[in-house]
Amino acid sequence: MPGVLFFAFFAVVPMLLAFYLSFTSWDGLGDPQPVGLDNWRKLIDDDRMVQSLWLTVLLTAASWVFQTVIALLLGVWAAGRQRNRAVLSAIFFVPFLLSSTAIALLFYALLDPNFGIIQENILGSSSGAFLAIVFVGGWQFIPFHTLIYQGGARQIPEVLYQAAAIDGAGRYRQFFSITLPQLRHTVTTSTVLLVVGSLTYFETVLILTKGGPGTDTAILPYLMYEAGFKSYDFGYASAIASFLVVAATGLSLILVRLTGFGSMRSTREGM
């Protein structure tokens, strides 16, 4: 019950209020005025919305590829029982303990063209700014997904590898024929968390690029921020927020359905 009440008060109620505000016009002062579907029509006709949606999808896809590949390999490696792997795993996890704001400020200083470690204006180019956001996000969240894959890899029965070794399977064949298939539910879990997290990415974009150069990194959460806290159009900002909630929920359900994760069939059947 405490968990349910906490989730209801801090998640469900704010989402319902945001959905209500999406049908109103409100500048943050006074009472919201009902405007029907005006904000949603504006959402559909807004050219910046189309660009931000594309950038958000691109950021999500790039983040998934970058983080999943590295986290999967690190997680499988860290699943070993050696002491040095346990120590390194603990060190790798440190970036996740830092706040997104602190990490963004750190990399903003490191990427400064005048005083940073790279004497080039990386954040001043469209591709450089986008790749910087992908890298900074990966640097922070790869440790979390590594921990997920480490736990999943340690659940794989050792007898499978022993049988494969007897049959002459090498390390790479064992990885693709045993490790990856056994981690399919783990990949789904990590993917859902990563996709939802990428759709709500905000602090790094605000601090590193402020949506720039121009509007080349203005993803949906940043567009929502501009609408609410620069234009004081909280009704339109709430419509963007409601769209993000629906999109994230829909993508998560599709991933669960397509991967068969919802049936929760054990990967250890017959063991």
Side-chain angles (χ1 to χ4, degrees):
M1 184 57 68
V4 172
L5 292 176
F6 184 89
F7 179 76
F9 186 76
F10 289 102
V12 176
V13 172
M15 283 191 293
L16 292 177
L17 289 175
F19 187 70
Y20 163 73
L21 288 175
S22 68
F23 297 98
T24 67
S25 175
W26 189 45
D27 61 0
L29 300 174
D31 297 326
Q33 301 298 319
V35 293
L37 296 174
D38 287 357
N39 290 321
W40 291 93
R41 294 192 187 97
K42 181 180 178 180
L43 190 70
I44 296 174
D45 298 333
D46 191 349
D47 292 335
R48 287 197 62 190
M49 175 66 183
V50 176
Q51 180 194 26
S52 295
L53 180 60
W54 164 246
L55 287 172
T56 304
V57 172
L58 191 61
L59 176 64
T60 301
S63 298
W64 183 85
V65 173
F66 177 56
Q67 296 185 34
T68 299
V69 171
I70 297 178
L72 176 59
L73 295 176
L74 282 176
V76 172
W77 175 83
R81 303 294 179 178
Q82 298 89 337
R83 175 183 287 272
N84 64 322
R85 299 194 185 197
V87 173
L88 289 174
S89 297
I91 296 175
F92 292 158
F93 195 72
V94 170
F96 185 68
L97 302 178
L98 305 176
S99 71
S100 298
T101 302
I103 291 174
L105 288 171
L106 170 65
F107 277 95
Y108 183 78
L110 292 175
L111 296 175
D112 187 284
N114 298 314
F115 308 103
I117 59 175
I118 301 177
Q119 302 299 313
E120 294 183 16
N121 189 13
I122 294 178
L123 300 178
S125 67
S126 300
S127 58
F130 182 84
L131 293 176
I133 293 172
V134 173
F135 176 80
V136 174
W139 189 82
Q140 179 181 10
F141 292 107
I142 282 175
F144 173 71
H145 295 281
T146 296
L147 188 65
I148 295 177
Y149 287 116
Q150 180 185 15
R154 285 186 172 175
Q155 300 303 313
I156 301 175
E158 186 65 27
V159 65
L160 296 179
Y161 295 104
Q162 294 171 355
I166 293 175
D167 290 339
R171 181 175 300 177
Y172 294 103
R173 180 61 183 273
Q174 291 179 19
F175 177 78
F176 287 103
S177 299
I178 298 176
T179 306
L180 278 182
Q182 292 288 314
L183 289 177
R184 63 181 183 273
H185 291 332
T186 308
V187 172
T188 303
T189 301
S190 173
T191 299
V192 170
L193 294 173
L194 199 155
V195 167
V196 173
S198 297
L199 289 176
T200 57
Y201 217 45
F202 172 69
E203 303 98 317
T204 303
V205 175
L206 175 65
I207 295 173
L208 276 184
T209 66
K210 294 181 175 60
T215 58
D216 290 339
T217 58
I219 58 177
L220 283 178
Y222 186 81
L223 188 66
M224 177 184 65
Y225 160 78
E226 282 193 329
F229 295 97
K230 286 190 174 181
S231 302
Y232 297 102
D233 189 353
F234 289 99
Y236 184 52
S238 297
I240 299 175
S242 300
F243 174 79
L244 278 171
V245 171
V246 173
T249 304
L251 281 174
S252 300
L253 294 176
I254 290 173
L255 286 171
V256 170
R257 183 64 180 270
L258 292 178
T259 58
F261 182 80
S263 60
M264 291 298 291
R265 291 186 296 270
S266 173
T267 55
R268 303 182 64 172
E269 289 182 12
M271 299 302 301

